[in-house]
Amino acid sequence: MKLYRINKVTKPGGVVVKKKDVLAASDSEAMQRAAESHDCPVCEILKDGRQVGAIV
């Protein structure tokens, strides 16, 4: 399991409104968990401080 941070943002590349840490086995699992979150209409998914995906 790896630690990912999901940042809820106002728009892609915008201001971070809320942060959430999740454990996932892969980048795709972290993306799926972010997509299923009600808090996440627009989110950026980060691993080790680097963006690995986004939900728009």
Side-chain angles (χ1 to χ4, degrees):
M1 296 300 250
K2 298 175 186 171
L3 181 65
Y4 290 85
R5 168 151 297 163
I6 299 172
N7 289 338
K8 177 180 178 184
V9 293
T10 56
K11 62 181 180 179
V15 176
V16 176
V17 178
K18 185 177 182 181
K19 299 176 183 178
K20 178 180 178 181
D21 292 331
V22 296
L23 291 173
S26 65
D27 294 354
S28 60
E29 182 182 337
M31 291 282 296
Q32 180 181 359
R33 292 187 65 186
E36 293 171 352
S37 174
H38 293 85
D39 282 342
C40 206
V42 180
C43 290
E44 297 172 340
I45 297 85
L46 295 97
K47 177 176 78 174
D48 298 327
R50 290 179 289 190
Q51 185 171 334
V52 295
I55 306 296
V56 183

